[in-house]
Amino acid sequence: MNITEKILARASGKTSLSPDDVVFVNVDKVMVHDVSGPGVIAVFEKLKKKGMKIEKLWDSSKVWVAEDHFVPSVDQVSAQNIVLLSDFTKQFGINKHFKYGMGQYGICHTLSHEEAMVLPGEVYVGGDSHTNTTGALGAFAAGLGHTDIAYVLLNGKIWFKVPETLYFKLNGKLPNHVMAKDFILKIIGDIGTDGAAYKTMQFGGDGILEMSIEERLTLTNMTTEAGAKSGIIEPDQKTSDYLAVRGATKYDEVHSDANAQYEKIFEYEASELEPIVAKPFSPENIAEARDLSTTALDKAYIGSCTGAKYEDLQAVARILKGRQVKIRTEVLPAAISIFRKAMEEGLIKIFMDAGAVVGPPTCGACCGAHMGVLAKDEVCISTTNRNFPGRMGHVESKTYLASPLVVAASAVTGKITDPRDLK
Amino acid sequence: MKGDVIKYQRDNIDTDVIIPGPYLKIHDYNELAKHAMEGLDKDFHSKVKEGDFIVAGRNFGCGSSREHAPIALAYSGIKAVLALSFARIFYRNAVDGAFLLPIEIDESTYNSISNEDSVEIDTEKNEIKNLTKNQTYAMKPFSELIGKIIAAGGLFNYKP
């Protein structure tokens, strides 16, 4: 069995599983945020009206909560949702609630690894599609809707069809101007936005072993954009080092068997990869950054679970140091811990000296909800994950997706720019 | 189950156009319905009727896990979406929450059904009748578990 099949087998009490088997698996960790939390509460209310008694969760110690989509509160409705969420965690005794304005908080997927909320070998479900992100730590991580999360909160288990696995092998170390974002955009361009639908995307090879945990997280994060159920990377020394720093040393790692089966193996040479940009209106609509060098921009956005981890900010700082931005540029670190580190290491000063605005962690602009949405016809280059019509604002605005290096280089020139071409 | 078709001849109808991001803060299902399909079809809310079906191409409901998407469609009156394929979270949200039926159809059925056709869906015979054109098509049967959850009326009513 491969790592995904082994994790699901262990969690469902089976000795062996194959793709297409349907099983109820025991869940180790559950996450809700300020959109899916109130969604789950609405499901609970509906169930209560039908006569169900809901007095406690299956195990509130396995549940954690983030405030990320509508913080800072946009209006009275979103402010009320935060109150609802706080009442919910209080009522059910959930202690892990990362609250906006009270120390560490941030985007749920970023907290999942920054705070070591999820560990190798675990089954983790979250009320958000980018839950896949956390698979980079060697866990089975998948996004679910409100009804499914409500079911998990009450029963501790949920059904999954065992996915086929597509294996993406990276040979060699990425060149300096290429990031994991370029690699995953290239893959999505190759297989399409439903190229991994219902499947798992596993990444391996010496190029992945070379890659830092944060870069690996960019890969698994965007498996969602290929339609994947989950993304996963086998844990190694880098994984355990990353988790040890965060106080997590006890877990039960799972690795693929030597004879593990994969539906298909794709191989990529790191040295052949180029800076890639996904054009509107789909992550699969890719081009080389150099081929878009005449595309004029209104805004550069550095934010989200995909592109505002510490190393993403470091990449941006490498470019912005000593330079000025030519277009509206926003940097929103994905968690307070990252914001703090960026401040202590002088990155925030570099961003501000370059003329960029630095803001608090939020999903706001990435999903077009608030904190910097796009006007009609505005063009944005962004380190985020989606560029559907209206995703970041007006339905006739345009978003190009790119790596932090490309976004920063483009901020400096005002046009889409390969970092190698920056003077 | 009988209804009229609203057809979108396109693939990858994503959750951001089914229910745009700014409405994610709303959890009043009838309020969400007012904004269904707003990112793609501003007239959807005025033309949709109780019992209608949506027909669309590949990868319907791709993108976010927002259950708002099947909810907004269901509370607009949509009873089923007939598509070439579905994104996984939309599919399981539609079934587990018992909001609407996600029905997979083949390319020729997709091409045969036109906007405003009246169709009848029979999930026991796995058949779709086009009453306007007097044609009958096959639908892909639900898998065993999905069929059981639908029959139970959603995941919470299903006993494993």
Side-chain angles (χ1 to χ4, degrees):
Chain A
M1 289 186 286
N2 64 40
I3 178 173
T4 300
E5 292 156 359
K6 284 173 82 174
I7 293 174
L8 293 177
R10 187 165 81 184
S12 59
K14 310 269 185 199
T15 47
S16 165
L17 279 181
S18 307
D20 288 345
D21 288 345
V22 176
V23 282
F24 272 81
V25 298
N26 293 317
V27 170
D28 296 298
K29 301 281 169 56
V30 193
M31 181 278 301
V32 295
H33 54 45
D34 58 331
V35 168
S36 51
V40 166
I41 294 167
V43 174
F44 277 10
E45 290 306 314
K46 205 164 66 175
L47 292 168
K48 282 195 231 163
K49 268 189 202 148
K50 285 184 187 159
M52 189 190 271
K53 274 196 184 141
I54 301 177
E55 282 156 358
K56 59 182 180 62
L57 304 183
W58 125 87
D59 187 345
S60 47
S61 72
K62 293 181 172 178
V63 186
W64 62 282
V65 176
E67 298 176 356
D68 56 10
H69 276 64
F70 289 92
V71 290
S73 293
V74 193
D75 56 11
Q76 292 174 19
V77 175
S78 52
Q80 207 61 49
N81 280 341
I82 299 295
V83 175
L84 261 181
L85 202 56
S86 298
D87 291 348
F88 181 81
T89 54
K90 215 177 290 168
Q91 180 190 348
F92 291 109
I94 300 166
N95 296 323
K96 287 273 180 199
H97 182 165
F98 297 96
K99 291 172 92 62
Y100 170 81
M102 293 180 69
Q104 173 70 315
Y105 96 97
I107 300 175
C108 56
H109 311 302
T110 310
L111 295 174
S112 79
H113 54 88
E114 272 289 291
E115 293 293 322
M117 298 307 296
V118 180
L119 301 171
E122 291 187 340
V123 171
Y124 165 53
V125 296
D128 192 284
S129 62
H130 289 110
T131 300
N132 296 26
T133 310
T134 319
L137 300 178
F140 174 82
L144 295 173
H146 312 158
T147 300
D148 284 348
I149 293 289
Y151 189 89
V152 174
L153 290 177
L154 297 177
N155 299 291
K157 58 186 178 180
I158 192 69
W159 67 269
F160 278 108
K161 189 163 88 173
V162 178
E164 294 275 7
T165 297
L166 303 179
Y167 189 94
F168 296 86
K169 187 169 180 232
L170 180 64
N171 298 321
K173 194 174 182 237
L174 290 179
N176 274 338
H177 56 280
V178 174
M179 299 184 72
K181 181 68 171 283
D182 300 300
F183 180 36
I184 190 67
L185 286 175
K186 169 74 176 139
I187 290 172
I188 296 167
D190 288 347
I191 68 171
T193 50
D194 60 355
Y198 296 81
K199 298 174 183 175
T200 290
M201 293 169 75
Q202 185 174 335
F203 303 89
D206 59 357
I208 301 298
L209 294 175
E210 286 276 352
M211 214 178 256
S212 68
I213 296 297
E214 288 201 355
E215 281 282 90
R216 295 177 190 182
L217 286 154
T218 305
L219 298 179
T220 46
N221 173 276
M222 285 199 67
T223 59
T224 307
E225 268 52 66
K229 183 173 293 176
S230 56
I232 199 161
I233 296 173
E234 289 193 52
D236 61 3
Q237 190 59 45
K238 283 189 177 163
T239 319
S240 35
D241 291 348
Y242 181 93
L243 291 168
V245 172
R246 288 156 175 82
T249 50
K250 281 190 193 153
Y251 43 83
D252 206 350
E253 280 184 22
V254 174
H255 293 270
S256 291
D257 295 329
N259 61 351
Q261 298 290 308
Y262 301 98
E263 189 189 52
K264 200 169 172 194
I265 295 173
F266 299 76
E267 272 196 68
Y268 289 86
E269 301 302 321
S271 60
E272 292 171 9
L273 294 172
E274 292 283 324
I276 296 288
V277 172
K279 300 178 287 183
F281 291 98
S282 172
E284 73 182 24
N285 194 17
I286 61 166
E288 289 184 15
R290 275 185 172 158
D291 293 338
L292 300 172
S293 60
T294 55
T295 305
L297 303 162
D298 298 295
K299 156 166 161 165
Y301 185 75
I302 295 120
S304 85
C305 51
T306 315
K309 303 177 290 301
Y310 185 71
E311 288 173 26
D312 297 323
L313 301 188
Q314 277 184 313
V316 172
R318 241 164 74 195
I319 301 281
L320 290 189
K321 190 171 187 185
R323 294 191 170 100
Q324 287 293 306
V325 298
K326 216 177 229 174
I327 50 174
R328 189 164 88 238
T329 301
E330 299 165 0
V331 185
L332 283 79
I336 283 293
S337 52
I338 293 171
F339 199 142
R340 170 182 286 277
K341 194 169 170 197
M343 183 184 69
E344 288 168 354
E345 301 294 327
L347 307 188
I348 301 294
K349 184 172 186 307
I350 292 172
F351 303 148
M352 294 184 76
D353 287 348
V357 68
V358 180
T362 178
C363 307
C366 174
C367 63
H370 65 115
M371 287 284 284
V373 300
L374 299 172
K376 183 173 184 291
D377 298 326
E378 275 198 314
V379 184
C380 172
I381 191 157
S382 176
T383 65
T384 56
N385 45 57
R386 287 187 185 132
N387 57 351
F388 303 143
R391 169 70 181 180
M392 294 187 77
H394 194 280
V395 78
E396 288 173 52
S397 62
K398 287 181 180 160
T399 295
Y400 290 80
L401 305 173
S403 77
L405 283 175
V406 172
V407 172
S410 305
V412 171
T413 63
K415 289 179 180 169
I416 294 179
T417 301
D418 184 312
R420 287 169 294 183
D421 299 334
L422 207 59
K423 291 187 185 85
Chain B
M1 197 166 63
K2 250 189 240 181
D4 296 335
V5 166
I6 298 175
K7 184 170 180 180
Y8 297 104
Q9 184 96 27
R10 57 190 283 167
D11 298 331
N12 301 313
I13 292 179
D14 63 81
T15 53
D16 276 289
V17 300
I18 297 172
I19 185 79
Y23 304 121
L24 295 182
K25 64 193 176 207
I26 298 171
H27 295 280
D28 174 333
Y29 295 177
N30 291 309
E31 187 62 31
L32 282 172
K34 291 181 192 165
H35 303 286
M37 302 304 285
E38 203 172 280
L40 179 64
D41 179 3
K42 290 259 182 233
D43 301 327
F44 180 80
H45 183 63
S46 57
K47 72 185 177 198
V48 65
K49 307 183 304 297
E50 183 65 26
D52 280 356
F53 305 130
I54 285 176
V55 172
R58 261 176 47 221
N59 205 22
F60 188 91
C62 60
S64 109
S65 61
R66 60 190 71 167
E67 200 154 308
H68 308 62
I71 290 170
L73 296 179
Y75 280 74
S76 298
I78 298 292
K79 296 289 180 223
V81 177
L82 287 66
L84 291 174
S85 64
F86 290 89
R88 58 167 285 269
I89 306 183
F90 180 91
Y91 189 93
R92 64 184 297 157
N93 283 348
V95 169
D96 287 352
F99 294 113
L100 53 83
L101 296 183
I103 293 175
E104 287 185 65
I105 53 174
D106 62 22
E107 200 83 37
S108 78
T109 305
Y110 175 55
N111 292 329
S112 301
I113 302 177
S114 308
N115 194 36
E116 298 185 357
D117 279 358
S118 290
V119 303
E120 185 171 8
I121 299 169
D122 185 336
T123 53
E124 279 178 16
K125 290 190 196 155
N126 293 310
E127 241 176 42
I128 302 162
K129 272 191 189 144
N130 189 328
L131 305 171
T132 308
K133 294 190 173 127
N134 199 21
Q135 295 169 334
T136 303
Y137 324 110
M139 61 171 260
K140 189 176 167 192
F142 296 116
S143 69
E144 192 187 342
L145 176 71
I146 297 296
K148 284 181 183 169
I149 294 173
I150 290 170
L155 184 60
F156 274 98
N157 296 327
Y158 168 76
K159 300 282 169 268

Coordinates of all heavy atoms in Angstrom, one line a residue, chain B residues 16 46-47 99:
Chain B
D16 N -16.9 30.0 -6.7 CA -16.9 31.4 -6.6 C -17.9 32.1 -7.5 O -18.4 33.2 -7.1 CB -15.5 32.0 -7.0 CG -14.5 31.9 -5.8 OD1 -14.7 32.7 -4.9 OD2 -13.6 31.1 -5.8
S46 N -34.0 35.6 -10.9 CA -35.3 35.9 -11.5 C -35.9 34.8 -12.3 O -37.1 34.7 -12.4 CB -35.3 37.3 -12.2 OG -34.3 37.2 -13.3
K47 N -35.0 34.0 -13.0 CA -35.6 33.0 -13.9 C -35.8 31.6 -13.3 O -36.6 30.9 -13.8 CB -34.8 33.0 -15.2 CG -33.4 32.3 -15.1 CD -32.7 32.4 -16.4 CE -31.3 31.8 -16.3 NZ -30.4 32.3 -17.4
F99 N -29.1 18.3 -0.2 CA -29.6 19.5 -0.8 C -30.1 19.3 -2.3 O -31.2 19.8 -2.6 CB -28.4 20.5 -0.8 CG -28.1 20.9 0.5 CD1 -26.8 20.6 1.1 CD2 -28.9 21.7 1.3 CE1 -26.5 21.0 2.3 CE2 -28.6 22.0 2.6 CZ -27.3 21.7 3.1

